[in-house]
């Protein structure tokens, strides 16, 4: 009887899982393993919101494995050590796991290789097109999105893989209890796990996505990002379903998945871009702890900015348009370094993802892959365009809900007392600070 280990990392699903599929087709028995590694905590990758989502996702994975006659074995400790130990205990001849793109994932893969030698098999399953699979002539990655998109659209796609119906597992692998959700999470987190992902996938209608994805109050985006981040849903499957469905909504969604792949291939080639400027421009950032704290708490006095920050605190998620507006306000209007902003997002976002978060922040800050690095989003114009009747602001700032019409975006024009801060930057100075507007 041959045995394989499948080490789950950011691929917490049974459907379309290349590492699981290879383990199952290559051996008689499969040990499904997840290692809770303290190095993840030390790297600050597991704040409460994502830890809660992970706890759900692991419980869900265990339930699905049990339904197939197996179960999830969880160990605490160093990933390479624990994986080598588990492999030795069940005489596994192969270990299958998903390849990552961050410096952290690369270090983990190097340690696994050292411990397991050629028993280790890495599989691409994180993105639609694996990082590095398409490159421009003479370069190791694309620095600009549009040419990347053209190459991405032509790139080879692997076939989708079915979820195993049955999975034979070695008899007595010892496992630690699965984790539970920690205290201190945002009050309205989405449920984690593959079943929740597939429920959301079935319930969400992509048809209006192209028309409504920027409308803050419509909340018409898929909200699949945390499931993609934890691999509860395969990006390749989502892209395939959208391409099969067709139409402007589905096409627009596929384009966003290309953005996700784009940032992953940048990070894979330039892991330091998680912390250092991708394109240093010698920017002299402004430091002001009080301003930074007001931004974090949603007290800048600019309602559309504050609404986004309050949504983030409450849901551990923020609408993409609000991410753009709040990040631009911090880096371009207040001229703060992108790193503290990105760190705050990473701390709260349930979809917090090194590639997507850091490189979107750099894009906004003008140190990344934007071909117009001086682009600035004027929060007042953005509010008028993407929250024209103020519904989004009223939803997140109840203290302004009674203000009529557009006054809700400019509370300083309201006569009478308000329990809401004055703008951090006077509105007339705002326009002077903004050279280009979006
Ligand atoms: C400053 C800033 C920080 C961000 N941080 C993150 C992050 O930590 N994690 C994260 O997953 N996304 C991040 N994004 C990208 C984007 O905002 C989210 O992916 C999106 O809002 C998630 O909601 P959704 O699933 O409803 O997206 P949808 O609009 O339904 O899009 C579908 C999927 O496409 C991908 N996607 C969409 N837009 C982008 C984008 N601009 N870049 C990369 N992938 C994209 C996501 O995986 C998303 O789930 C950030 C964007 C900005 C501007």
């Amino acid at each position: 009887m041959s045995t394989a280990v499948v080490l789950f990392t950011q691929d917490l699903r049974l459907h379309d899982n290349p590492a699981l599929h290879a383990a199952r087709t290559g051996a008689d028995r499969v040990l499904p393993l997840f290692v809770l590694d303290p190095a993840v905590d030390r790297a600050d990758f597991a704040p409460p919101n994502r830890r809660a989502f992970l706890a759900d996702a692991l419980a869900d994975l265990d339930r699905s494995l049990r339904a197939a006659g197996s179960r999830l074995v969880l160990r605490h400790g160093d990933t390479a050590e624990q994986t080598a130990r588990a492999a030795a205990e069940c005489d596994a001849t192969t270990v299958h796991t998903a390849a990552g793109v961050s410096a952290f994932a690369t270090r983990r893969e190097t340690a696994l290789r050292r411990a397991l030698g050629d028993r280790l098999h890495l599989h691409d399953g994180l993105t639609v097109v694996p990082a590095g699979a398409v490159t421009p002539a003479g370069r190791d990655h694309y620095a600009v999105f549009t040419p990347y998109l053209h190459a991405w659209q032509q790139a080879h796609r692997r076939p989708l893989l079915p979820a195993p119906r049955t999975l034979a597992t070695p008899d007595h692998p010892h496992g630690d209890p699965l984790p539970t959700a920690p205290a201190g999470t945002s009050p309205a987190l989405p449920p984690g796990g593959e079943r929740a992902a597939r429920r959301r996938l079935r319930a969400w209608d992509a048809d209006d996505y192209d028309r409504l994805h920027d409308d803050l109050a419509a909340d018409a985006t898929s909200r699949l990002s945390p499931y993609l981040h934890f691999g509860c849903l395969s990006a390749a499957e989502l892209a395939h379903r959208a391409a099969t469905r067709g139409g402007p909504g589905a096409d627009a969604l596929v384009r966003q998945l290309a953005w996700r792949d784009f940032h992953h291939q940048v990070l894979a080639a330039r892991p330091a871009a998680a912390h250092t400027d991708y394109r240093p421009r010698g920017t002299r950032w402004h430091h002001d702890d009080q301003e930074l704290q007001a931004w974090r708490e949603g007290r800048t006095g600019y309602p559309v900015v504050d609404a986004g920050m309050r949504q983030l605190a409450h849901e551990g998620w923020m609408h993409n348009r609000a991410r753009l507006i709040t990040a631009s306000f911090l880096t371009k209007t207040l001229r703060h370094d992108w790193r503290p902003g990105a760190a705050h997002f990473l701390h709260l976002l349930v979809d917090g993802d090194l590639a997507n978060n850091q490189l979107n922040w750099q894009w906004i800050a003008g140190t990344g892959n934007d071909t117009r690095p001086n682009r600035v989003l004027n929060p007042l114009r953005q509010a008028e365009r993407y929250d024209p009747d103020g519904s989004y602001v009223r939803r997140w700032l109840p203290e302004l809900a009674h203000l009529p019409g557009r006054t809700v975006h400019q509370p300083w024009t309201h006569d009478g007392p308000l329990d809401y801060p004055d703008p951090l930057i006077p509105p007339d100075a705002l326009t002077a600070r903004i050279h280009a507007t979006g």
Side-chain angles (χ1 to χ4, degrees):
M1 286 274 258
S2 59
T3 304
V5 173
V6 57
L7 171 66
F8 288 95
T9 55
Q10 258 184 277
D11 54 345
L12 304 178
R13 63 176 182 271
L14 297 194
H15 291 83
D16 192 40
N17 186 325
L20 174 62
H21 184 78
R24 185 168 184 273
T25 47
D28 303 312
R29 301 182 310 182
V30 174
L31 178 75
L33 177 69
F34 186 86
V35 180
L36 269 180
D37 191 330
V40 173
D41 288 337
R42 284 198 299 274
D44 239 359
F45 288 156
N49 285 350
R50 286 204 294 288
R51 193 171 276 270
F53 195 92
L54 175 69
D56 280 358
L58 293 176
D60 179 72
L61 184 60
D62 184 46
R63 264 198 304 277
S64 301
L65 287 166
R66 283 178 192 271
S70 177
R71 71 185 172 94
L72 183 65
V73 170
L74 182 121
R75 299 273 171 96
H76 287 87
D78 174 75
T79 303
E81 263 174 48
Q82 293 300 326
T83 307
R85 188 172 300 170
E89 286 166 14
C90 60
D91 284 331
T93 46
T94 52
V95 173
H96 299 265
T97 197
V101 297
S102 65
F104 184 90
T106 308
R107 278 197 300 277
R108 181 173 60 201
E109 287 161 19
T110 305
L112 281 165
R113 174 80 62 208
R114 208 176 296 127
L116 297 162
D118 58 11
R119 285 183 294 159
L120 179 70
H121 299 267
L122 293 174
H123 301 270
D124 293 315
L126 186 62
T127 46
V128 182
V129 173
V134 290
T135 50
R139 298 208 52 195
D140 61 355
H141 72 290
Y142 279 90
V144 176
F145 177 69
T146 306
Y148 175 75
L149 177 65
H150 294 146
W152 185 89
Q153 284 163 333
Q154 308 302 321
H156 165 77
R157 304 289 157 95
R158 64 170 175 80
L160 297 185
L161 304 165
R165 285 167 189 262
T166 58
L167 200 65
T169 291
D171 289 339
H172 4 257
H174 131 85
D176 297 333
L178 297 184
T180 52
T185 58
S186 294
L189 288 182
E194 185 175 20
R195 279 162 223 242
R198 301 189 84 77
R199 265 199 308 277
R200 177 73 195 150
L201 186 60
R202 283 193 298 272
W204 181 65
D205 183 356
D207 282 351
D208 286 333
Y209 180 77
D210 58 319
R211 207 168 47 80
L212 291 178
H213 72 276
D214 263 332
D215 182 326
L216 284 161
D219 199 0
T221 66
S222 72
R223 286 188 177 243
L224 287 169
S225 51
Y227 302 103
L228 290 165
H229 170 71
F230 283 91
C232 303
L233 180 66
S234 138
E237 183 185 345
L238 182 58
H240 177 80
R241 279 174 176 249
T244 310
R245 182 185 184 104
D251 290 350
L253 178 73
V254 171
R255 186 184 164 86
Q256 293 316 107
L257 292 172
W259 268 110
R260 179 176 181 271
D261 280 14
F262 173 74
H263 292 314
H264 279 75
Q265 57 96 44
V266 172
L267 189 67
R270 297 285 179 277
H275 307 290
T276 57
D277 291 351
Y278 177 83
R279 283 203 179 101
R281 293 185 193 276
T283 317
R284 287 180 39 198
W285 303 110
H286 172 69
H287 295 271
D288 182 324
D289 286 343
Q290 282 185 350
E291 275 184 8
L292 182 61
Q293 195 53 19
W295 175 83
R296 285 190 187 118
E297 291 174 2
R299 288 188 300 101
T300 66
Y302 283 93
V304 74
V305 173
D306 295 342
M309 299 308 289
R310 307 248 190 121
Q311 180 177 31
L312 174 63
H314 190 77
E315 297 188 352
W317 185 89
M318 198 199 289
H319 192 285
N320 178 60
R321 178 52 53 183
R323 297 188 203 205
L324 292 163
I325 296 170
T326 54
S328 176
F329 188 78
L330 187 73
T331 57
K332 293 283 179 63
T333 306
L334 298 179
R335 297 176 182 150
H336 280 235
D337 192 334
W338 61 271
R339 277 156 278 245
H344 181 71
F345 269 36
L346 263 194
H347 182 71
L348 286 173
L349 281 174
V350 70
D351 64 23
D353 181 280
L354 214 56
N356 280 355
N357 191 59
Q358 310 306 83
L359 292 165
N360 268 299
W361 269 93
Q362 293 228 42
W363 192 89
I364 288 287
T367 59
N369 304 87
D370 191 357
T371 47
R372 284 173 53 205
N374 296 325
R375 183 198 312 259
V376 185
L377 304 183
N378 180 328
L380 300 181
R381 291 216 190 150
Q382 292 281 311
E384 273 183 28
R385 194 177 299 170
Y386 300 113
D387 188 28
D389 67 2
S391 305
Y392 179 74
V393 161
R394 287 192 185 85
R395 186 179 306 158
W396 291 107
L397 303 180
E399 66 271 41
L400 301 184
H402 62 289
L403 295 189
R406 289 175 173 179
T407 317
V408 78
H409 289 307
Q410 304 188 25
W412 52 86
T413 61
H414 173 73
D415 287 333
L418 281 177
D419 182 18
Y420 185 69
D422 291 334
L424 275 186
I425 297 200
D428 43 351
L430 181 74
T431 21
R433 279 199 179 205
I434 293 175
H435 307 297
T437 56

